Amino acid sequence: MNISIVRPGELGDSERSRWRALQKADPSLDNPFLSVEFAVAMDRLRDYVRVAVVHDGDSIAGFFPYERHSFGIGKPLGGFLTTCHGLISAPELKIDTKALLRAAKLSVFDFDHMVAGQPTFAAFETDVRPAPIMDLTAGFDSWIEQVKANSPKNLKTVRYKERKLGREQGRLRFEYASPDPAVLRTLLNWKSDQYRRTGRVDRFAQPWIVELIDLMHAERSDDFAGVLTMLYAGDVPVAGHFGLRTATTLVGWFPAYDTEFARYSPGIVHHLQMAEHAAKAGLHAVDMGKGGKEYKDWLKSGVLYVAEGRVSRPSAAAAVHWIGRTPVNKARTIVLDRPSLYKVADRVLKGFGRVRTTLQSDSPPDTVVKEPSGAR
């Protein structure tokens, strides 16, 4: 096998078609973050995006998109923004991982949402975790029955709040796949407010991320699209979500709601209606991503698996990277494994968010309030 390194934007039509064919042939790759369209969009905005093209004789056997940072530090494409990464190839393909890193000029590649069990990376997996999904293959009615079985009390409460919201604030209306950029801006403003309110770094403070969202919102093909959804009470937007889809899977990305309506639990009401409209649109699953929120436990009707791990070549850069990253990864795993610790960490971040908001409001215009080093 030969491995060549190019930028995703340099791939020709035949190569992009081959990428799509390999992705469609393996159900474990049915995720829009693994799509060539996402790689090309990232390449337009970031200079460090690359793809390793694996040639087996005259044919292309696989594609490995990645980011190459200073000192040969490799990261998954999209990094902290994405919930799935991996090698796009036939399921049985196994590449010499060290040779792959050498061709890509990487000292180390650290991953935390790798498609679990890929032969090339399986030996380097240190942890495998479930990512809950809403399985819609049997239709919405079948899925909602599973939700009811998971937690009848929660479903009953949300349905009550849904009726109350419509009764007190105006008839509910759900818009699926809105093309309106103004609606997208409303959602992103809510999300920025949520980041600040809960002590997280506001991702949309980085202009390139906003530009990426705009590029994804404009994508509307059968195999790949950005999907903007919004729940309205009367004419007032109350909760929404922006995610990406393949032909059959929608991946959760940026959900948010107007806190003025928080007493109605509009985010969960929105998720129920989003699942119904996704099923009507022919989608088979909504991937909610691994980690954290309790609502995922009772909305899920299936799981996928993603892996954490690290592969490296002997080098000073790899050693320094290991020293810096391993304790952080272990601490995050411990917190995620223990719901009580997760809740405490969440409360601490929210408390920091309230303090930061106060500091910012009391500070002179040029004052910068720094983020804690561990915030995401």
Side-chain angles (χ1 to χ4, degrees), residues 7-134:
R7 298 189 63 153
E10 297 171 345
L11 296 172
D13 290 342
S14 62
E15 293 164 315
R16 298 185 189 195
S17 294
R18 176 61 174 160
W19 183 318
R20 295 187 186 101
L22 288 169
Q23 185 182 13
K24 288 181 179 179
D26 183 355
S28 73
L29 302 179
D30 186 21
N31 187 296
F33 290 125
L34 300 177
S35 297
V36 66
E37 290 85 355
F38 182 74
V40 170
M42 282 291 301
D43 183 34
R44 289 179 59 179
L45 302 173
R46 302 281 88 183
D47 289 337
Y48 45 66
V49 175
R50 299 291 185 273
V51 58
V53 183
V54 182
H55 301 266
D56 185 3
D58 293 332
S59 65
I60 295 177
F63 299 87
F64 179 62
Y66 65 96
E67 297 178 3
R68 185 181 186 278
H69 294 265
S70 300
F71 307 108
I73 303 302
K75 297 181 180 181
L77 182 65
F80 64 90
L81 284 175
T82 63
T83 59
C84 187
H85 38 261
L87 177 68
I88 293 87
S89 70
E92 68 278 2
L93 181 68
K94 183 175 182 179
I95 304 169
D96 182 323
T97 314
K98 301 298 177 67
L100 178 62
L101 263 61
R102 188 163 52 249
K105 298 182 180 179
L106 298 180
S107 300
V108 59
F109 183 75
D110 198 14
F111 54 88
D112 59 4
H113 288 81
M114 179 73 71
V115 176
Q118 290 198 326
T120 298
F121 295 99
F124 302 94
E125 295 175 355
T126 57
D127 195 14
V128 177
R129 296 187 167 274
I133 66 169
M134 304 179 193

Side-chain angles (χ1 to χ4, degrees), residues 23 30-32 35 222-225 244-250 283:
Q23 185 182 13
D30 186 21
N31 187 296
S35 297
D222 291 341
D223 292 329
F224 183 91
L244 303 179
R245 67 151 179 83
T246 62
T248 54
T249 296
L250 172 65
L283 298 184

